Amino acid sequence: MRNRKALFLTLILPLVLSVAVDVYAAPANKAVTLWFHGGTAEETAAMKSQIERFNASQKNFKVEMTEIPGGAVAGSGYNDSVNAAAVAGKLPDILDLDGPNLYNYAWAGFLRDLTNLAGADLKADLLPSLIAQGTYKGKLYAIGQYDSGLSLAGRRSMLKKAGVRIPKGVKDAWTMAEFKDALSKLKASGQTEYVIDLKMNYGAGEWLTYAFSPILWGFGGDLIDRKTWKTADGVLNGPEAVAAMKFFQGLFAQKLANLTPADDNDFVNGKTALGFCGHWMTTPYYKAFGDDFTLIPMPNWGKKAVTGMGSWAWAISTQSKNPDGAWAFFKFMLQPDEILAITNINGAVPGRISALNKTDLYKAGGRLAVFSDQLKTGVAVPRPATPAYPAVTSAFYTAADSIAKGADVKTELDTAVDKIDKDIKNNNGYPEK
Amino acid sequence: MGLPGMTVLVMFVAVPLLLGLGWSFTNKRLISPLPTQWVGMRNYTSILSLRTIRIDPVRDAQGGIMREEDGRPRYPKVRELVKGDPALEDYGEWFRVKRGDGYSVWLSKDPSFMNALLNTIRFVIVIVPCQGGLALLLALLVNRRLRGTDALRTIFFAPVVTSMAVVAVVWIFLLNPSQGIVNYFLSWISAGALRDIPWLPDRRYAHVAIYIVSIWQSAGFQMIIFLAGLQSIPEQLYESAHIDGAGPWQLFSRVTFPLLRNTTIFVVISTTILAFRVFTQIDIMTKGGPQESTSSLIYYVVQQGFRQQHIGYASAVTVVFFLFVLLVSGIQKALLRSSGEEE
C-alpha cells in the first residue's frame, strides 16, 4: 500500500510540477505562431530544432510551429489553408510562402513591409536573387533562408560512354544544338530506358511552372507581358512560346522522358542518364552515385540560358499581434550558422553571402557551385512578380500538363492566355490601392 | 426540443446557402483589397451562354479550297473570329461537329464549366447503374450462408472505411503504366496483348480510371444497404416460392427484387447525389486533366473559388449545380413513384 502511494507520487508529482512551471512561465514567453509548409521529414526536423534553439536562447518569446502539408508537391493544400486563414483573420504571426505567391498576398495587404526592419547590413549580405524575389513594388515582404537551385543532373560515366561533353561551368553550358545532340547520343547508347527525368511524378502543379516556364523564356516567350502586366496574349501563345512547348512535348513523344514516373527515383534507379535536378534531390543523388553524379548547368535554349529560382521564404502577417517576436525569430534564423543548418540538409543555396562563404559546396569547383553560379550570373530568372500569379501559374501548369500528354500546343496556350486575361480583367487590372 | 438541430441546420446549411446565393450576383474575390461589386446576372450569363457559329474552308480567289501543310483544308481560326466580332465577346470554342464541308462550332463563355458539367453527368450515368448493380451482386453473394462470407463482407466493405485520399494515392501506383500491378495483370491475362495502358495521362482512359476507383471505393457501402434489405425479406416467402417450383432466377426476379424496391430507390437516389459530388479522387489523381477530360463540377468550383480566388463566380456555379441536382432528384423521385403506382 505504501509502495503504491510512493509510486503514485513519483508518477504524478512531476506532471503536476511541469504543468505548474508552464503556467508560471507562460506570461514571460509571448507566443509567436508560425506556419511551415510540409517539407521533407529531414527539413521539418531541422526546422523544429531551429525553433527549439531559438526558444532556449532567450526568454521573451516562444515560437510555436504548426506544420501544414500540401505545399511542396503539386500543392494547393498549404495555399488553400493560407487563403482561408487570411479571409478569416486567423493568419499566424509568421508564415512561409512559395516564391511568387507572395505578390498576391502583398497586394492584398496581408504581409508586413520588412524594408525598414531589415537593415542595410543584412540587405547587402542577402543574395540579390532573394531580395528580388521578396520585393513587390519596391518593398521587401519576405526573406528566405535560402534560394533554390535548379539545373541538370548527369551521370559522368554514362555521358562519357555516349561521347557527350560535360560542361565545366555556367560559362560553357551546352547550346541548344549540343543539348539535342546529347539527348540523341544518350538515347542511341542504350544505357537507360529513358534519357532525361523531368519529375512528372510531381503532377500538374507549381513544379511545371517553376521548372519549365524558363524554357519559354529561353526561347523568347514568357508567361505574361512584363512591360504592361495586363495581358499574356502574344507572349505565352506567340511563335516562340509555341516552339518552346513543342520541344517540351517532343521529349515525351520521342520517349526521351518518362511521362509517368512512379516516384522521385528514376535517376537513382538508372532509368535516365540526365534529369532536371532541384536542390532537394542533390543529397539523395550524391548518396547514390558519389562523384559520378554531377550538376550540369541549364543549356542555352536558343535566346539565352535560363533556369528557375525562388523558394520558400518567410513573411510576417499584418494580422500578427506580436511582430517584435516574429522579427526576433527572423534575426535568429538568418544567422549564417542557422541558415547552414537548413541548407546542409536540403541542399539549397544559402541566402546570405557570409553563409555561402562558410561552405565549400558552392565555391569554385564545389559540388553545388553550378547552383550559386546560375544565381550570380543571371541565368536564374524569377517568376513574374504580379498579384495575378495564382491565375498565371494555374493556367500555365494546366496547359503544360495537357501538352506533355499530347494535346495541341497552340490550342492549349491560347486557352491559358484567355484564362489569364480574363482573371486580370475580373480584377480590374490589379490596381494598387 | 428541435432547437439544437435547427440551430445546426441554419448555421451550416441555410446561412451558407443564402450567403452563396448573395455572392453569386457579385464579383467577390477570396482575398483582395478591391471592393466587392454587384454584377447582376453577369456570372450566370457567363456560365450558361451558348451559341453556335459555322465555319467553312478558306477559299482562294478562284474558289479553290486552301490547304494546310499536311493537306487538310484550312479553316479560319475560331479564336480570331471571336476576337474580331464584338457580338462574340468572351466566347471560346467548346467543341465542333462536322457539317458538310465545314464545321458547326459550339461556343461557350466558359467552356471549362461546360466540360465539367458534361463530365459530371457522364460520371453519374455510369456510376449509378454500375455501382448499384455491383453492390447488389456483392450483397447477394455475401447473403448466402456459406463459410467465408463474413470475411468477404469485411473485404468488400474495407475500402469504404478507407479515406478516398488514401485510396486515390494507392491507385496512382496501381495504375502506373510501366510499373503498376493493374497493367501487369492485364498483360498477364491477355498474354501480352494489353500492354502499358497509359491510364491517367491519356484522355481516352483517364475518366475510366476515375470510374474504376470510385466504384471500387464505394460499392461496399451500397452493398451493406442492399444486405440489410435482403435480410428483412421473410424466409417463408422463399420457401413457398420454392414449393411452387420457382427456379433461382424466378426467385430473384419475382421475390427478391420486388421486395427490395424501397431499398433500391434509396440506393439510386443516394448514389446519384453522392456521385454528383465527385471531387477527391479527381483532385489527387488527375487534377481534372488531361484537357479537362476528368474535371467535375465540384472540382471546378474549388478551382475557381479557392485557387483562382473568384468566390462570386464559384458561388454562381454552385447555385446552378444545386438547382441541377434538385431537378434531377425531383425527376428521379417522380419516375420511381409513378412506376410504383403502376404495379
Side-chain angles (χ1 to χ4, degrees):
Chain A
M1 194 66 197
R2 191 170 244 216
N3 271 342
R4 263 209 198 156
K5 213 171 207 173
L7 187 71
F8 179 77
L9 276 179
T10 45
L11 284 177
I12 294 300
L13 210 63
L15 262 177
V16 174
L17 277 178
S18 66
V19 171
V21 168
D22 265 8
V23 170
Y24 176 74
N29 285 348
K30 269 170 85 184
V32 178
T33 52
L34 174 146
W35 282 7
F36 177 58
H37 79 279
T40 62
E42 292 84 8
E43 271 181 296
T44 305
M47 194 65 220
K48 274 186 185 149
S49 64
Q50 189 157 72
I51 289 170
E52 277 162 23
R53 283 196 296 278
F54 172 75
N55 288 343
S57 74
Q58 42 72 50
K59 291 213 167 70
N60 298 327
F61 308 107
K62 186 161 183 260
V63 172
E64 289 161 2
M65 176 174 105
T66 309
E67 191 187 352
I68 299 179
V73 176
S76 39
Y78 182 80
N79 289 339
D80 288 353
S81 307
V82 173
N83 285 341
V87 175
K90 296 258 163 72
L91 281 176
D93 297 304
I94 303 174
L95 67 161
D96 70 340
L97 296 168
D98 188 10
N101 284 319
L102 88 94
Y103 310 125
N104 188 266
Y105 295 113
W107 172 73
F110 288 111
L111 304 182
R112 187 171 284 263
D113 177 7
L114 308 176
T115 318
N116 296 329
L117 287 171
D121 289 352
L122 176 60
K123 276 191 230 163
D125 197 32
L126 283 172
L127 280 185
S129 66
L130 270 191
I131 296 186
Q133 188 83 38
T135 304
Y136 176 65
K137 301 273 175 192
K139 289 175 183 164
L140 186 65
Y141 288 101
I143 306 175
Q145 287 170 290
Y146 48 82
D147 205 331
S148 67
L150 175 68
S151 72
L152 297 176
R155 297 268 301 274
R156 285 181 201 276
S157 55
M158 288 182 167
L159 293 165
K160 214 177 227 175
K161 203 169 168 194
V164 176
R165 178 181 75 90
I166 302 173
K168 292 206 173 56
V170 173
K171 276 188 192 137
D172 66 341
W174 287 333
T175 62
M176 189 63 183
E178 268 186 296
F179 181 45
K180 283 183 174 165
D181 184 51
L183 292 173
S184 50
K185 273 185 182 157
L186 283 164
K187 180 87 183 167
S189 78
Q191 303 175 81
T192 49
E193 188 182 349
Y194 297 96
V195 175
I196 184 164
D197 176 19
L198 297 183
K199 298 276 175 207
M200 295 305 283
N201 52 307
Y202 292 158
E206 190 59 33
W207 166 254
L208 297 180
T209 313
Y210 168 74
F212 305 119
S213 64
I215 304 183
L216 282 181
W217 311 328
F219 271 73
D222 206 338
L223 285 171
I224 186 170
D225 181 348
R226 295 200 204 204
K227 287 193 197 89
T228 65
W229 301 104
K230 298 285 184 240
T231 180
D233 203 15
V235 187
L236 179 50
N237 58 353
E240 297 88 359
V242 171
M245 294 315 283
K246 281 206 166 134
F247 167 73
F248 175 67
Q249 188 173 49
L251 294 175
F252 302 101
Q254 298 158 36
K255 303 266 177 220
L256 294 167
N258 183 1
L259 186 55
T260 53
D263 53 29
D264 246 351
N265 298 323
D266 268 15
F267 184 73
V268 169
N269 292 340
K271 289 188 140 205
T272 68
L274 291 173
F276 264 53
C277 177
H279 62 255
W280 57 96
M281 292 312 293
T282 55
T283 311
Y285 287 180
Y286 186 66
K287 272 187 190 150
F289 300 119
D291 287 329
D292 193 32
F293 155 59
T294 179
L295 286 182
I296 300 170
M298 277 294 176
N300 185 325
W301 302 103
K303 289 257 162 51
K304 64 180 290 229
V306 190
T307 191
M309 60 167 272
S311 195
W312 292 82
W314 297 101
I316 303 178
S317 85
T318 44
Q319 294 166 6
S320 166
K321 291 189 186 70
N322 193 357
D324 296 342
W327 182 249
F329 182 63
F330 269 57
K331 281 202 288 197
F332 177 84
M333 70 176 165
L334 288 172
Q335 297 173 97
D337 287 335
E338 292 298 334
I339 289 177
L340 290 173
I342 298 280
T343 58
N344 285 341
I345 281 165
N346 66 13
V349 184
R352 293 182 72 162
I353 314 276
S354 52
L356 204 54
N357 290 338
K358 278 192 160 185
T359 162
D360 288 334
L361 286 175
Y362 304 92
K363 286 188 181 152
R367 189 156 65 77
L368 305 178
V370 167
F371 287 158
S372 46
D373 287 351
Q374 287 185 148
L375 286 171
K376 283 180 198 157
T377 54
V379 169
V381 172
R383 284 160 279 177
T386 165
Y389 189 77
V392 172
T393 185
S394 85
F396 177 73
Y397 66 62
T398 308
D401 178 57
S402 290
I403 287 169
K405 291 167 183 170
D408 181 62
V409 173
K410 174 76 173 148
T411 312
E412 291 301 316
L413 291 179
D414 279 343
T415 308
V417 165
D418 290 345
K419 284 184 192 165
I420 294 167
D421 285 6
K422 197 171 172 184
D423 177 79
I424 295 174
K425 201 171 121 190
N426 282 341
N427 283 285
N428 310 337
Y430 288 99
E432 290 307 310
K433 284 176 286 180
Chain B
M1 223 172 74
L3 197 63
M6 283 307 289
T7 319
V8 170
L9 266 182
V10 168
M11 265 178 64
F12 292 105
V13 179
V15 169
L17 200 74
L18 291 175
L19 276 178
L21 184 66
W23 288 339
S24 72
F25 298 102
T26 71
N27 64 355
K28 186 175 177 59
R29 303 158 188 100
L30 187 62
I31 56 169
S32 165
L34 301 177
T36 298
Q37 289 158 332
W38 185 263
V39 296
M41 296 300 286
R42 195 181 76 190
N43 291 335
Y44 290 97
T45 51
S46 177
I47 292 168
L48 298 170
S49 292
L50 275 182
R51 49 184 299 180
T52 58
I53 56 169
R54 199 188 147 73
I55 53 169
D56 289 306
V58 183
R59 288 171 192 277
D60 56 25
Q62 284 79 39
I65 292 176
M66 307 220 337
R67 294 190 180 272
E68 303 281 358
E69 285 162 22
D70 58 6
R72 286 179 308 168
R74 175 178 298 173
Y75 290 96
K77 299 264 182 295
V78 170
R79 194 164 174 272
E80 281 158 24
L81 287 180
V82 168
K83 296 243 152 163
D85 184 351
L88 296 178
E89 201 192 350
D90 292 337
Y91 277 96
E93 178 171 344
W94 179 23
F95 66 93
R96 55 175 69 185
V97 199
K98 187 95 181 143
R99 285 269 183 279
D101 269 353
Y103 285 97
S104 175
V105 180
W106 285 70
L107 302 176
S108 158
K109 282 193 179 177
D110 189 353
S112 303
F113 167 81
M114 287 297 164
N115 285 332
L117 177 69
L118 273 198
N119 290 338
T120 310
I121 294 174
R122 197 171 56 171
F123 182 81
V124 172
I125 290 176
V126 172
I127 287 293
V128 173
C130 290
Q131 191 169 310
L134 181 70
L136 182 56
L137 274 178
L138 293 179
L140 288 169
L141 181 72
V142 168
N143 196 36
R144 300 171 128 210
R145 281 168 199 123
L146 297 174
R147 202 184 290 174
T149 49
D150 282 353
L152 278 182
R153 191 168 56 199
T154 312
I155 291 170
F156 295 149
F157 196 67
V160 180
V161 292
T162 312
S163 153
M164 182 54 105
V166 176
V167 169
V169 171
V170 170
W171 273 89
I172 291 178
F173 291 111
L174 298 182
L175 291 170
N176 186 282
S178 54
Q179 286 157 277
I181 199 168
V182 172
N183 276 355
Y184 182 80
F185 178 72
L186 287 177
S187 152
W188 181 69
I189 57 163
S190 67
L194 295 169
R195 286 179 60 235
D196 296 348
I197 299 172
W199 284 104
L200 296 176
D202 191 318
R203 59 181 307 178
R204 284 172 302 172
Y205 303 110
H207 60 279
V208 181
I210 297 285
Y211 300 152
I212 293 173
V213 174
S214 309
I215 291 172
W216 182 85
Q217 196 264 348
S218 26
F221 176 67
Q222 281 86 7
M223 175 194 80
I224 291 292
I225 298 171
F226 272 125
L227 198 59
L230 284 175
Q231 292 183 345
S232 70
I233 300 174
E235 194 63 27
Q236 302 94 301
L237 289 177
Y238 288 108
E239 279 166 21
S240 44
H242 212 71
I243 290 162
D244 289 345
W249 170 247
Q250 279 170 315
L251 280 181
F252 175 75
S253 62
R254 296 299 168 101
V255 181
T256 312
F257 198 64
L259 286 168
L260 279 180
R261 197 174 155 273
N262 284 336
T263 314
T264 311
I265 289 176
F266 175 75
V267 165
V268 167
I269 291 182
S270 66
T271 313
T272 307
I273 293 174
L274 287 176
F276 270 118
R277 296 193 331 196
V278 56
F279 168 74
T280 313
Q281 55 270 55
I282 291 169
D283 193 37
I284 291 172
M285 294 175 71
T286 65
K287 298 270 168 203
Q291 291 161 273
E292 299 181 347
S293 63
T294 58
S295 79
S296 73
L297 278 173
I298 296 294
Y299 179 76
Y300 186 63
V301 166
V302 171
Q303 195 70 11
Q304 277 293 321
F306 284 94
R307 296 177 190 158
Q308 312 241 17
Q309 312 188 355
H310 304 148
I311 285 289
Y313 193 78
S315 300
V317 176
T318 55
V319 170
V320 172
F321 175 59
F322 171 73
L323 294 176
F324 185 72
V325 174
L326 201 67
L327 182 76
V328 170
S329 25
I331 292 173
Q332 256 181 354
K333 224 172 162 185
L335 279 177
L336 291 168
R337 188 173 290 156
S338 67
S339 75
E341 279 160 6
E342 282 163 23
E343 279 169 21

